[in-house]
Structure formats: structure tokens, C-alpha cells
Amino acid sequence: MDRILIDDLRVTTIIGALPHEREIAQPLRFDLSIGVDLHHAGLTDELNDTVHYGLVCERIVEMAKDSKDILLERLAAKAADVVLEFDLVEHVEVTL
């Protein structure tokens, strides 16, 4: 299994349970380890044979900015769900 690593993806969003956390957006950092078989992409050099990690980043940023979650755990689970929507992804590890 190969991995695509996306480190230090920064997003500013509302997160937290305390009243002051609900008023001001806070900076967050996502690190993603995406499990995918890259053998075919290595042979073909075709974007369709891999996971478009630029698009992964765009979708994570969009999801996080629109989120109004209370728990970091919920936001991390939603980020994992976003990544798992990509066809070739077999697993993902999210660090938030």
C-alpha cells in the first residue's frame, strides 16, 4: 500500500464548545495520510489513475470552513469521510 501525505493543510473555522470559541474562527491544521495503490499511476503518469490531492485539499477546506462543529473529533471524522469519497482511497488517517 502506498501513501499520499498531505501535511500542514491550514483552515480557519468555528470550532469548540465554549461561548467565545463560537464567536471567532480559529486556525486548524490537518495532516492526512491517504492509503492508495499508486502502482498503475506510476506506470501511466495519468491523473485519473491516482487521487487528485489538490481536489482533496479543496474539499477538506470547503468542508471545514462550512462546518460549525463543536468537537474536533467530529470535524476529523468528517474530514476522513471526505477523503474516503475518492474512488481509489482504501484508508485515511487524519491528524487535526
Side-chain angles (χ1 to χ4, degrees):
M1 181 62 48
D2 302 302
R3 292 185 306 155
I4 295 173
L5 300 176
I6 299 172
D7 290 329
D8 204 29
L9 178 61
R10 294 174 184 255
V11 180
T12 303
T13 191
I14 299 291
I15 189 85
L18 300 176
H20 70 277
E21 293 173 321
R22 307 305 303 165
E23 295 173 9
I24 300 172
Q26 301 177 62
L28 296 177
R29 189 184 89 194
F30 288 86
D31 294 331
L32 307 168
S33 177
I34 303 169
V36 59
D37 181 355
L38 298 176
H39 179 75
H40 192 66
L43 296 173
T44 66
D45 200 27
E46 292 289 332
L47 184 57
N48 289 334
D49 293 332
T50 188
V51 176
H52 190 314
Y53 35 90
L55 190 53
V56 169
C57 291
E58 287 177 13
R59 289 191 184 162
I60 293 289
V61 168
E62 180 180 309
M63 177 277 302
K65 284 187 173 185
D66 291 343
S67 171
K68 301 292 186 245
D69 293 312
I70 294 171
L71 299 177
L72 287 172
E73 293 84 349
R74 168 119 169 116
L75 189 59
K78 287 169 58 176
D81 289 342
V82 166
V83 177
L84 290 169
E85 289 176 2
F86 286 82
D87 288 337
L88 300 175
V89 173
E90 295 191 24
H91 63 83
V92 63
E93 181 179 316
V94 177
T95 304
L96 183 58

